[in-house]
Amino acid sequence: MQHQHQAPAPTTQGMGFMPTSSADQDTIDQQVPEIQKEQESGITLIEDSKQDKSHDYYLYFKGMYQHVKGKLGGSLKTFQELLLKSPSPYIYIGLFPILFDSGQWQKIVQFYTQKQTELTKLFDDNLELALIVSQSLLNLGRDDQAENLLANLTDKHPDDERVAYFVALSKIKRNEFDQAITFLDQCLAKKSLKNQHFLFYFLKSKVYLQQKKLPQALEEVEKSLKVLPKHDRRMLLKAVLLEQLGRVNEAIKCYKTFVDVVGNDSAVEQQLVLLLFSQKRFKEAAKHMKKISSSHPTYFFDLALLEFKAKNYSQALEHLNTALEKIPSFTRAKLLKVEILIEQKKFTDALQFLKDWIAQSPHDHTALHTLVLLQKAQVDGEQIIATLEDICKTATCLTMHATLAQLYFQHGRYLQARELYQKLLPNIRNNSIKAQMLFQVGYCYYLESNFAESEKTLEKALSHQPVYPETYNLLAYVYALHDKKLSESLSLVGKALETNPHSAYYLDTKGYILLKQGNKDEAEKLFKEALMFAPNDMIIKQHLLEAQK
């Protein structure tokens, strides 16, 4: 978070040192041509008549009035007319603040360079004019020239706080941090500058911050606030320092104080929301979030998230609906809505929302995966299956049907799972997917105790490359279960173990084959190794007991 230095007192005519913008601003390059050069004969373009002087005064005060009213464009046009007449150098007293407020620093320096001889007396008599040129030089990165000009001003005005401010600013800008600290300490030692001590402490804090000396920076800004207990940008700097020092709750307090005083500041409000969120102070975070005016969908999503965390579910859903009205495909908003409905135990509403989502976006697998994951949220699996069955009645997406088959399998409905897999197989073109699906069919047969069909299906699955590793294992186990092809079984499970040497089930199958071959010692070792990876598996424990008899 960046913070501008505070400028001290305003210039003449109420003009601030820091530039402002205006909708009707026109560039000085378009409106203020170069001052016409005097003729070699030395004769000016203006006759020295009272009438002309009166008109000059009129134009000067008209431009000044326009500036005060904030009409920079009109003010510049007026001074353009005045410049064409080669008027008195005193017009620059009015022109320079106008150029500065419109950000025309280059033009200020250009006039100052071209007319330096004529402006010398003005600079001796008018400190504000000199400070405008100094800051213009700083803004243009011409630090050496600014430094020289400020040095002269320091000699002439040793007790002027504005000169001291810009001298310090110049040193900071040149990364002369030690010199800046020394100079600021000198300023703090001057009784004549006592009224501005708060500003010098503040600048010292900024220097220490740039040096990453956070404790010293905090100490100086606290001194500044003690001298002048006004909750301005110094309070904001204190909040930033406290945050960086890890004192988050103190930082939150300072941020709150700042926004309470200055009113809405979206950048500060956003930072405050983030800190409150990090401290799980969700209700307060939501309160400050509402102060940030926005119509963007992500704003309503963030607000919904805060309300959800604060357990204000109805408000959260209201904000999510607003976000989804603006962007119907807003996935994060949809997922959060499902989560809120589940948190409220509104399972039927959550299932209906997902059903509508899948129907509207059949190729968006996020909704499908979320539907399956609802099993982990205590939603009845049969309700999930019924929802997906309704969707699959009209859906042509193979992924949906394969997901339904998997749900059948997970809930022990092996016949329905197998029949659906077999229905899908002719439409599968990818060999890898077909190999995996054939394994699922063979596994269903196995769980139905139809070992002949299981063996036949698994042997068919071996012809599809790459072979699904589970196929090697299950086929080897089916062979061993019926004392068939034990040598081939050992070879098959060996291929499975190549893909995963630490699989408890592959190790158990190999041990079971060795047990069938009479090699009890090796079988026992493998069963014990398998139990290291699946210590609660009852089948492996039973096999170990058989090997130990």
Side-chain angles (χ1 to χ4, degrees), residues 25-185:
Q25 175 179 338
D26 297 306
T27 62
I28 192 66
D29 290 325
Q30 295 173 326
Q31 297 177 346
V32 183
E34 297 285 37
I35 300 176
Q36 296 182 7
K37 296 182 178 180
E38 293 182 350
Q39 298 179 359
E40 291 183 3
S41 61
I43 301 174
T44 62
L45 298 176
I46 298 293
E47 292 182 6
D48 190 8
S49 66
K50 291 183 180 181
Q51 183 177 0
D52 287 330
K53 283 185 179 180
S54 297
H55 189 61
D56 287 355
Y57 289 140
Y58 166 74
L59 290 175
Y60 180 83
F61 287 113
K62 177 184 176 182
M64 295 291 288
Y65 177 77
Q66 290 170 319
H67 182 205
V68 170
K69 289 295 184 179
K71 298 179 180 180
L72 286 176
S75 180
L76 288 169
K77 287 179 181 178
T78 301
F79 271 91
Q80 174 190 9
E81 184 179 348
L82 189 56
L83 284 168
L84 289 172
K85 302 170 68 177
S86 297
S88 164
Y90 283 93
I91 71 154
Y92 294 102
I93 295 175
L95 177 59
F96 275 24
I98 297 170
L99 293 174
F100 193 92
D101 285 352
S102 59
Q104 303 296 326
W105 309 313
Q106 184 66 52
K107 191 57 80 170
I108 290 170
V109 173
Q110 182 179 332
F111 279 136
Y112 169 69
T113 304
Q114 290 177 347
K115 298 289 182 178
Q116 194 165 13
T117 303
E118 299 175 41
L119 297 179
T120 299
K121 182 170 175 21
L122 290 182
F123 275 76
D124 289 338
D125 297 338
N126 195 310
L127 176 59
E128 285 75 13
L129 209 61
L131 288 174
I132 286 176
V133 175
S134 300
Q135 194 173 354
S136 296
L137 288 166
L138 285 173
N139 290 339
L140 292 171
R142 297 165 70 166
D143 299 337
D144 291 337
Q145 290 176 270
E147 185 82 9
N148 292 333
L149 183 53
L150 288 168
N152 292 331
L153 292 176
T154 304
D155 293 337
K156 294 177 182 178
H157 309 279
D159 295 327
D160 190 283
E161 69 272 10
R162 295 166 297 176
V163 175
Y165 170 81
F166 285 112
V167 170
L169 198 62
S170 173
K171 293 183 183 299
I172 295 170
K173 193 170 184 294
R174 293 159 66 92
N175 295 327
E176 296 173 351
F177 299 129
D178 292 338
Q179 296 92 318
I181 293 293
T182 301
F183 177 78
L184 289 167
D185 284 336

Side-chain angles (χ1 to χ4, degrees), residues 217-235:
L218 180 60
E219 182 181 352
E220 295 301 325
V221 78
E222 285 178 335
K223 288 179 184 177
S224 177
L225 287 165
K226 187 176 180 180
V227 172
L228 182 66
K230 183 180 178 182
H231 298 149
D232 48 20
R233 289 280 165 181
R234 294 169 299 144
M235 180 60 70

